[in-house]
Amino acid sequence: GPTSTTSTTTGTNTTTTTGGPGTLYNVAFDLTDAVTAGALQFEVNYSAAGGQFTGTGATVVCTSPLSAGGAFVSFNDVEASTQLNFAAVAIAGFTGPTTVANCEFDAPAAPGAGDFTITVVDASAPDLSPIVPLPTVTVSAVTPK
């Protein structure tokens, strides 16, 4: 998670203070449309949320209930561009509306659902046909951990 570091140098003495992380929140992402998907990919821009997801790259602290149903799920947090990437593939498919991901977010104050901009990049049915129009993914809840 994020930390704040302040260094002060006076003469030959340097004092460094490292602040701890903010408060941890669970951010739940839901597929809101009544569709059966075999694959779903979306991006989350969190630059307006005032914090960052815990962990970086593929080690971001996220889980997906889709995994219990046999889906392969991958997350990648690119902190430099404040973008979280999500991808899921399930041969048997998964049907919305359903929660597709829960991620740990570290911020000094609770972000709102509107602070996360979600762009669905790709969605297809289990038979690989494209889902048109692309389904909607929203932040359904931001709750303290």
Side-chain angles (χ1 to χ4, degrees):
T3 59
S4 59
T5 302
T6 305
S7 294
T8 306
T9 303
T10 308
T12 58
N13 297 325
T14 300
T15 304
T16 302
T17 306
T18 302
T23 302
L24 298 178
Y25 299 91
N26 179 65
V27 180
F29 296 94
D30 284 10
L31 170 64
T32 59
D33 295 338
V35 297
T36 298
L40 176 66
Q41 181 181 350
F42 62 86
E43 302 167 344
V44 180
N45 180 308
Y46 58 91
S47 60
Q52 65 188 29
F53 288 98
T54 304
T56 61
T59 64
V60 64
V61 180
C62 293
T63 60
S64 176
L66 301 178
S67 297
F72 172 75
V73 181
S74 178
F75 298 93
N76 185 28
D77 178 25
V78 184
E79 290 183 349
S81 61
T82 60
Q83 181 174 302
L84 175 72
N85 300 298
F86 168 92
V89 176
I91 293 171
F94 51 92
T95 302
T98 189
T99 298
V100 295
N102 290 290
C103 295
E104 188 175 273
F105 195 77
D106 191 338
D115 293 331
F116 300 92
T117 303
I118 301 168
T119 303
V120 176
V121 176
D122 186 50
S124 59
D127 67 1
L128 304 180
S129 62
I131 297 175
V132 179
L134 290 171
T136 302
V137 174
T138 63
V139 170
S140 60
V142 177
T143 53
K145 287 195 81 166

